[in-house]
Amino acid sequence: MTTPARALIFDMDGTIVDNMDFHTRAWITFFARRGQTIEPDAFFRDTAGRQGKEILRHYLGAELDDDTLATLNHEKEVLYRELYGPHRRTIDGFDAFIDRAREQGWALAVATSASPGSARFILDEMDLQRKFDAVVVGTVDVPRGKPHPDVFLKAADRCSVLPAHCIVFEDAPLGVEAARRAGMRAVVLTTTLPAEAFAEFDNVIAIVNDFMQLDVEALLSLS
């Protein structure tokens, strides 16, 4: 019997690279310039996985037009890249893990809510783009951010893999919820939140600190 096509779909920020603290610090500075104070942990839980325009409209006003949003988002992204640029590296074990997954016949995709510039900042400038069969940049490829399932369903479609045969890698509750709505199982990386933050999700099949704790063959046996 032919084995069905399978795919591993990776969120980018906080999952391929451990950068969410730098995003949060950039947002803190961005909002401080406007007289707003945000609580980091609550902000992450409420926004991780959402598109920048969704975050800006939530905090600064739903009436913001697209041109204003683009300008504001660029300001925040410049702050983030200045902070994180000297620290860019993949999460421990990631490179070996995806190389082994490729050998085992898995399709590989990225599904991120980052801006196109931020995606290039990680995937292109770190020479990661070539390792993936598909890259979905949610801010341009789908209308809605997480927890809506759009970005993961688009990645599955581009890999020609059924959602039920995809495993999502995430670090945020909104992302795990998006995977659940897409009919996909999820592996959680605790780069930003502890394991107990994901206790409510019945689609989580593993919770790990990094990719050193994962085995491709073990995941294959669960699919």
Side-chain angles (χ1 to χ4, degrees):
M1 183 173 66
T2 303
T3 301
R6 295 179 172 89
L8 303 180
I9 304 177
F10 298 85
D11 171 50
M12 186 180 76
D13 293 333
T15 305
I16 294 175
V17 291
D18 188 3
N19 62 345
M20 288 307 296
D21 179 59
F22 294 92
H23 270 297
T24 301
R25 286 162 58 188
W27 280 117
I28 289 171
T29 300
F30 174 88
F31 285 116
R33 290 175 175 177
R34 289 155 177 85
Q36 294 190 34
T37 300
I38 59 174
E39 197 285 310
D41 290 342
F43 180 82
F44 175 81
R45 292 172 189 272
D46 291 342
T47 64
R50 296 192 187 277
Q51 297 177 4
K53 64 183 180 181
E54 295 171 328
I55 296 171
L56 289 164
R57 282 186 168 135
H58 176 78
Y59 282 89
L60 298 180
E63 74 284 354
L64 291 173
D65 61 62
D66 289 344
D67 289 342
T68 300
L69 288 170
T71 299
L72 293 172
N73 199 60
H74 177 72
E75 178 186 339
K76 178 265 167 181
E77 288 298 307
V78 169
L79 287 168
Y80 154 68
R81 291 173 210 173
E82 289 175 349
L83 288 168
Y84 184 56
H87 306 281
R88 280 181 293 184
R89 59 183 293 272
T90 54
I91 289 174
D92 289 345
F94 174 79
D95 300 277
F97 178 80
I98 62 170
D99 287 346
R100 183 60 177 154
R102 172 74 70 198
E103 292 172 0
Q104 293 295 309
W106 290 79
L108 303 173
V110 176
T112 177
S113 297
S115 68
S118 285
R120 290 192 296 270
F121 178 67
I122 299 299
L123 299 177
D124 290 350
E125 294 185 24
M126 293 179 66
D127 195 28
L128 295 172
Q129 176 101 16
R130 61 186 175 83
K131 294 179 178 287
F132 295 96
D133 301 289
V135 174
V136 179
V137 179
T139 49
V140 293
D141 291 331
V142 296
R144 304 178 299 179
K146 304 165 189 176
H148 299 291
D150 307 27
V151 70
F152 292 136
L153 292 173
K154 177 70 76 172
D157 180 66
R158 288 186 177 176
C159 290
S160 300
V161 176
L162 295 173
H165 296 151
C166 297
I167 297 175
V168 167
F169 292 77
E170 263 288 351
D171 69 308
L174 290 180
V176 176
E177 173 62 14
R180 187 190 68 79
R181 294 184 189 184
M184 301 176 183
R185 289 159 299 166
V187 172
V188 169
L189 283 96
T190 56
T191 52
T192 315
L193 292 175
E196 50 266 31
F198 302 90
E200 67 183 273
F201 296 104
D202 59 5
N203 62 324
V204 172
I205 58 174
I207 300 178
V208 296
N209 296 326
D210 57 41
F211 290 91
M212 302 287 286
Q213 299 179 341
L214 286 170
D215 181 83
V216 174
E217 285 75 13
L219 283 179
L220 185 61
S221 71
L222 296 173
S223 62

